[in-house]
Amino acid sequence: IDILINNAANDPKVQNRGMKNMLRLENLPRDIWQNDFDVGVTGAFLMSKYIVPRMAANKKGVIVNIASDLGVIAPDQRIYRKKGLRDDQQPIKPVTYSVVKHAMVGLTKYLATYWAESGIRVNTLSPGGVFNGQPKEFVRKVSALIPLGRMAHADEYKAAIIFLCSDASSYMTGGTQTYAVTHAGAMYAWGSQTVGELGVGDASTPRSSPVLVLGGLRWATPLQFNTGGTQCHLTTTGAAYSWGNN
């Protein structure tokens, strides 16, 4: 086994569940909280616990933990609001999703330093919102917060996964690659904090034909849904971050 991608998670849909919205923080049952953590965090822990020692025996391996832009920021509940509903009936993004995704970032930092001497690299991918047939009003609200003016397409993170799993990122561990040009990227690019850009090609590369240059390789790859960030190759910087300086 060379690569482990921890991608399992419950995905609680944002919806109004009637007069008493059970996903709101004040109503959320403990069993939903526990189940979401069992799948999203405990599942990743167990997969890492039992699979990675096999990689360590070979002194080489990669873990990619899938988080979310909501593992970097809190959800903006305003984009889910619906007219005509009282505040206590409004649909929301549940607390469990955001907290689980933040936990994946923490797990990445821990595992990256724990297994560093065994040649195991561990990084997080935190994607922004992907269009998947969401209601038009929701898409409009989210898109208004995005510098690129749209949500991501389903295939626009493939290159990022390939990069993190390949030797092109061999000098990189303990980092969170936030491809978050949804509300996360918008707020970062427009004055809060900057994270997570993969650069494209050299100055002579036409914008209509982006080429990613990584580790001496030139990749013609779809990185259109990415702007306003900074890509850190985090074996040096990442070590400091993972060990508590930032």
Side-chain angles (χ1 to χ4, degrees):
I1 298 175
D2 301 301
I3 299 166
L4 169 62
I5 299 177
N6 285 315
N7 191 40
N10 289 338
D11 184 16
K13 300 301 181 185
V14 175
Q15 55 187 298
N16 173 37
R17 296 195 172 189
M19 294 299 291
K20 189 174 183 180
N21 187 340
M22 298 306 294
L23 293 183
R24 295 190 66 85
L25 181 65
E26 58 271 24
N27 301 327
L28 187 78
R30 182 172 178 176
D31 61 340
I32 292 180
W33 171 278
Q34 189 63 57
N35 184 256
D36 288 351
F37 265 77
D38 286 346
V39 175
V41 181
T42 305
F45 158 71
L46 291 173
M47 292 296 291
S48 302
K49 175 181 178 179
Y50 290 110
I51 289 179
V52 177
R54 304 182 189 182
M55 298 180 184
N58 295 323
K59 294 293 183 180
K60 186 177 183 180
V62 173
I63 303 174
V64 178
N65 291 323
I66 306 300
S68 165
D69 59 347
L70 298 184
V72 180
I73 60 167
D76 183 347
Q77 304 291 3
R78 295 171 297 180
I79 65 177
Y80 307 113
R81 291 185 67 86
K82 294 182 179 180
K83 294 181 180 179
L85 294 177
R86 300 197 313 262
D87 286 348
D88 63 349
Q89 297 176 14
Q90 288 291 342
I92 52 94
K93 192 71 173 180
V95 61
T96 50
Y97 187 82
S98 188
V99 175
V100 163
K101 294 306 184 181
H102 274 78
M104 292 297 283
V105 174
L107 181 64
T108 292
K109 294 177 182 179
Y110 185 92
L111 297 181
T113 54
Y114 187 83
W115 273 311
E117 294 183 0
S118 298
I120 309 300
R121 297 190 299 104
V122 191
N123 290 289
T124 306
L125 178 67
S126 294
V130 179
F131 178 73
N132 188 30
Q134 293 94 333
K136 291 182 179 180
E137 179 63 13
F138 171 79
V139 174
R140 182 190 66 79
K141 289 179 180 179
V142 173
S143 298
L145 298 173
I146 302 171
L148 293 177
R150 64 175 178 84
M151 300 180 72
H153 300 310
D155 63 351
E156 289 187 297
Y157 295 116
K158 292 179 180 179
I161 291 290
I162 293 171
F163 167 62
L164 292 174
C165 291
S166 74
D167 287 341
S169 59
S170 58
Y171 192 66
M172 188 174 187
T173 194
T176 300
Q177 310 315 302
T178 308
Y179 294 77
V181 196
T182 58
H183 39 296
M187 285 193 287
Y188 293 156
W190 286 329
S192 178
Q193 181 182 354
T194 29
V195 293
E197 176 189 14
L198 278 178
V200 291
D202 55 35
S204 64
T205 303
R207 289 183 181 272
S208 61
S209 179
V211 175
L212 177 63
V213 180
L214 298 169
L217 303 177
R218 292 173 60 85
W219 298 13
T221 183
L223 293 174
Q224 296 94 329
F225 191 70
N226 197 30
T227 190
T230 302
Q231 173 81 6
C232 289
H233 292 251
L234 290 169
T235 301
T236 52
T237 312
Y241 290 161
S242 298
W243 283 328
N245 291 339
N246 192 357

